[in-house]
Amino acid sequence: MPATRRLLSLFSVLFVTLVASFCSAVVADESTPADSAQADSTQIPQPLQQFRGMLIGRLLQRDIEQGTFTVHVDYVSRVWENNQASNPRAAVGRTLLVDGITGKWLDQLLLIKPGETLEFEAQHRGGSTLTFPGEWLRKVPAFKPEDHPVPPADFRGFAGVIQGTIERKDADHKELIVKVTQIESTNERNRAKDATQAVGHSFVLAGFWAKMSQPWQQLQAGDTIRAGVLHRVPQSDHFTVIDFATKVTAESPRPDGNSLQPKTSGQTTGFPAGMQGFRGILRGQLVSRDLERGELVLKAEQVTRTWQENKAKDTESCRGRQFTVRRISDKWLDVLVNLKPGDRIEVEAFHNGGEHLDFVAEWLKKVE
């Protein structure tokens, strides 16, 4: 009888051990032993603290009840303007725990299996986890570096006009991958150290929303385009389209002399010599306008004012000449839309090079 009790006791211990092992496997929710070992390393490195942006990575495990998942990060797809992390790319190659998954996003997470790739928005608000703010989480194709081009370091911070070829159009994000063929010009917001380094390289052009939705619809892979571009967040690989993005055709006007490309010897400009370096206000008759490009053509009557920085030596030479004024944007497009060819107008503009004037966002109005 005592031997029977001992056998029963030993059987009970073995049964409890097997049940405990089974329960531990269930709690792991489909993770592999290798993935579980990586999950133990989830920490937020100091350069990633206070991160704000979007990440792409491979799902290792998920806990629907807790609203969390663990991910191996492959790429930092976006960095927002309110990001405070000193080096967002410190996330790449790390295994991180993400919390805050609730509501419809739990249903979305259920559709993504461990081993598959997801893209999601994340914030670091303190502690050893990232938090999902409830904006973007979805399954995406497995990460391939060629699908996410990284711009040259000296091109970061760029602001100006480029020409390039569309290599791919992403309908989900409303983005283009553009291979740069020419840096046409820069503007006062430019912070790139050497924008010409981008020629021959590809970058992601985003921001085709609101007024830029219509140009987006007309562009296709293979098109050559001319676009206003701003790199708002130098830590991000994404650039934003501003003001215009138009297809370049054989009939399109050639780039003007403000291009940063090397010029052939003997190249000349049709801009009046006496108006070179002009800073001031022109009055004249509106000849035409292009809302999409943010441009107008003015037949000048006179210069009404010049500023201290003006370098034009003969402002009288403007009379009867036609001037293209570019870079009209934001609220000033509302002013431009109410002007008609034939109207007499005044516009503040600077000559920064080439055969056109740049609009100064201070003065544009109809005059009697």
Side-chain angles (χ1 to χ4, degrees):
M1 202 58 185
T4 302
R5 290 196 190 96
R6 284 195 296 272
L7 286 172
L8 288 172
S9 176
L10 180 59
F11 177 80
S12 298
V13 170
L14 289 171
F15 179 78
V16 169
T17 301
L18 288 171
V19 170
S21 298
F22 176 77
C23 291
S24 297
V26 171
V27 170
D29 189 16
E30 306 176 70
S31 63
T32 65
D35 288 338
S36 297
Q38 290 185 45
D40 292 337
S41 66
T42 55
Q43 293 293 329
I44 305 298
Q46 194 280 328
L48 190 60
Q49 291 179 15
Q50 302 305 310
F51 170 76
R52 301 288 189 276
M54 292 175 63
L55 303 172
I56 292 176
R58 181 168 56 92
L59 180 66
L60 300 182
Q61 60 185 26
R62 59 191 177 181
D63 188 327
I64 301 302
E65 185 175 328
Q66 296 295 322
T68 64
F69 65 86
T70 305
V71 63
H72 177 82
V73 179
D74 292 313
Y75 181 64
V76 180
S77 62
R78 296 287 189 98
V79 179
W80 303 139
E81 288 188 76
N82 62 348
N83 168 72
Q84 296 180 34
S86 61
N87 181 18
R89 283 176 178 72
V92 176
R94 299 193 68 91
T95 298
L96 301 173
L97 178 64
V98 182
D99 59 24
I101 316 300
T102 60
K104 68 177 183 179
W105 300 106
L106 287 173
D107 299 333
Q108 189 72 14
L109 186 59
L110 274 170
L111 299 176
I112 307 171
K113 300 176 182 178
E116 294 181 329
T117 301
L118 73 163
E119 182 179 42
F120 60 96
E121 186 175 6
Q123 299 178 356
H124 179 244
R125 300 173 179 175
S128 60
T129 66
L130 293 177
T131 295
F132 175 66
E135 293 293 336
W136 185 272
L137 187 156
R138 66 166 193 157
K139 179 181 174 181
V140 294
F143 174 76
K144 296 179 181 179
E146 58 268 27
D147 292 337
H148 304 275
V150 177
D154 287 347
F155 187 48
R156 293 182 182 275
F158 174 77
V161 179
I162 65 100
Q163 287 198 31
T165 302
I166 300 175
E167 296 185 315
R168 196 173 79 238
K169 185 175 181 179
D170 185 337
D172 291 330
H173 290 79
K174 280 200 169 182
E175 296 174 350
L176 302 175
I177 292 183
V178 179
K179 185 174 183 178
V180 181
T181 56
Q182 180 176 333
I183 302 297
E184 184 175 318
S185 63
T186 59
N187 62 40
E188 64 279 359
R189 301 176 70 178
N190 180 61
R191 298 294 180 271
K193 294 179 180 179
D194 183 2
T196 60
Q197 292 299 311
V199 175
H201 292 270
S202 301
F203 73 102
V204 178
L205 185 59
F208 288 92
W209 308 101
K211 72 175 184 178
M212 295 307 302
S213 292
Q214 185 174 0
W216 158 266
Q217 299 296 337
Q218 299 169 357
L219 299 174
Q220 302 297 330
D223 288 347
T224 297
I225 65 169
R226 178 175 178 269
V229 173
L230 174 64
H231 197 202
R232 297 182 188 277
V233 185
Q235 290 177 311
S236 180
D237 292 344
H238 283 65
F239 290 64
T240 301
V241 62
I242 54 171
D243 299 337
F244 67 93
T246 57
K247 182 177 178 179
V248 176
T249 64
E251 294 76 27
S252 299
R254 294 176 60 83
D256 57 51
N258 203 31
S259 168
L260 299 187
Q261 295 293 94
K263 299 177 183 179
T264 58
S265 60
Q267 183 174 353
T268 60
T269 174
F271 196 88
M275 289 289 288
Q276 298 277 348
F278 175 73
R279 301 284 190 276
I281 296 178
L282 273 171
R283 176 180 293 177
Q285 185 179 67
L286 180 64
V287 176
S288 65
R289 61 182 184 176
D290 188 328
L291 296 174
E292 189 172 299
R293 292 192 176 189
E295 298 179 0
L296 65 82
V297 176
L298 170 81
K299 184 176 181 181
E301 297 173 355
Q302 66 180 109
V303 170
T304 60
R305 295 189 65 181
T306 57
W307 310 137
Q308 186 174 357
E309 300 84 3
N310 174 65
K311 296 180 180 178
K313 297 179 179 179
D314 181 14
T315 57
E316 290 294 317
S317 65
C318 77
R319 293 180 182 274
R321 300 294 295 264
Q322 290 191 6
F323 294 88
T324 298
V325 181
R326 295 182 175 175
R327 297 175 185 161
I328 302 170
S329 60
D330 300 327
K331 68 178 183 180
W332 298 102
L333 286 173
D334 297 332
V335 176
L336 186 59
V337 77
N338 290 312
L339 298 176
K340 302 184 297 295
D343 287 346
R344 294 181 70 244
I345 65 170
E346 284 186 351
V347 57
E348 182 179 6
F350 289 1
H351 180 242
N352 295 316
E355 299 181 11
H356 69 276
L357 295 169
D358 291 323
F359 176 65
V360 180
E362 295 290 342
W363 191 268
L364 173 60
K365 70 173 188 174
K366 180 179 179 180
V367 295
E368 298 302 329

